[in-house]
Amino acid sequence: MSLEIIISDAIKDAMRAKDKVALDALRAVKSQILLLKTEAKGADVSAEQEIAILQRMIKQRKDSYDQFMAQNRGDLAEVEDAQSKVIEKYLPQQMTSEELEAEMKNIIAETGATSAKDLGKVMGMAGKALAGKSDGKSISDMAKKLLS
């Protein structure tokens, strides 16, 4: 079942439950999926593109959360945090740091990377291999730790 159908069903459930935070977050996700479909001129949206949309939306909300907290706007920060948690439910299971470290060691071995100079090669391969399983910041931090 596509993410668009799952989100549509979740929107209906959120409406029935009168859950405004979830409803706003889910509508935003559906909007981004429809926008991507429009740009692709009706072509189907791949699972990788759906995951990328979700990850981008979560990152935006976390950035907004940090900005609101820095400005002492806890009321707005709570909304952003709650929305990011709703969106996270639709991402595939995220890797633990131990699993990420093991995968990154395999990728480093495959690429033959030996130092921080090889970070670009490692990140390119890791970005594709771990898409949806971990966020880019975690992947980058682990790669830098293992290559230093």
Side-chain angles (χ1 to χ4, degrees):
M1 191 181 312
S2 76
L3 181 64
E4 183 179 7
I5 294 169
I6 293 169
I7 294 296
S8 293
D9 291 342
I11 287 173
K12 292 173 192 171
D13 293 339
M15 283 180 183
R16 287 185 198 111
K18 297 183 183 351
D19 186 351
K20 183 172 176 13
V21 172
L23 188 59
D24 290 344
L26 294 169
R27 282 181 173 160
V29 171
K30 186 167 183 181
S31 168
Q32 289 298 312
I33 292 171
L34 292 174
L35 184 64
L36 185 61
K37 278 180 122 175
T38 303
E39 290 172 357
K41 297 191 177 13
D44 287 337
V45 178
S46 70
E48 292 82 21
Q49 290 173 313
E50 292 173 343
I51 290 170
I53 288 170
L54 294 175
Q55 287 178 322
R56 185 176 61 242
M57 293 182 77
I58 290 169
K59 183 178 183 314
Q60 288 171 343
R61 277 156 181 75
K62 288 185 178 182
D63 290 345
S64 295
Y65 173 84
D66 292 340
Q67 289 177 359
F68 288 140
M69 290 306 287
Q71 297 170 359
N72 295 323
R73 294 296 312 263
D75 54 331
L76 297 175
E78 288 176 22
V79 172
E80 295 295 327
D81 188 44
Q83 285 187 4
S84 71
K85 287 178 181 169
V86 169
I87 297 169
E88 282 175 352
K89 293 177 189 175
Y90 299 95
L91 275 177
Q93 182 65 35
Q94 299 293 294
M95 299 177 91
T96 64
S97 67
E98 293 82 21
E99 293 170 334
L100 178 61
E101 185 172 358
E103 282 292 322
M104 289 302 294
K105 284 180 181 177
N106 290 339
I107 291 169
I108 289 170
E110 281 182 44
T111 59
T114 56
S115 69
K117 291 179 183 178
D118 301 319
L119 185 64
K121 286 194 291 187
V122 172
M123 286 302 297
M125 191 169 180
K128 292 175 187 162
L130 303 175
K133 298 176 185 174
S134 186
D135 64 288
K137 183 171 178 7
S138 300
I139 293 171
S140 175
D141 290 344
M142 185 62 69
K144 288 174 184 173
K145 174 183 157 192
L146 293 174
L147 289 174
S148 61

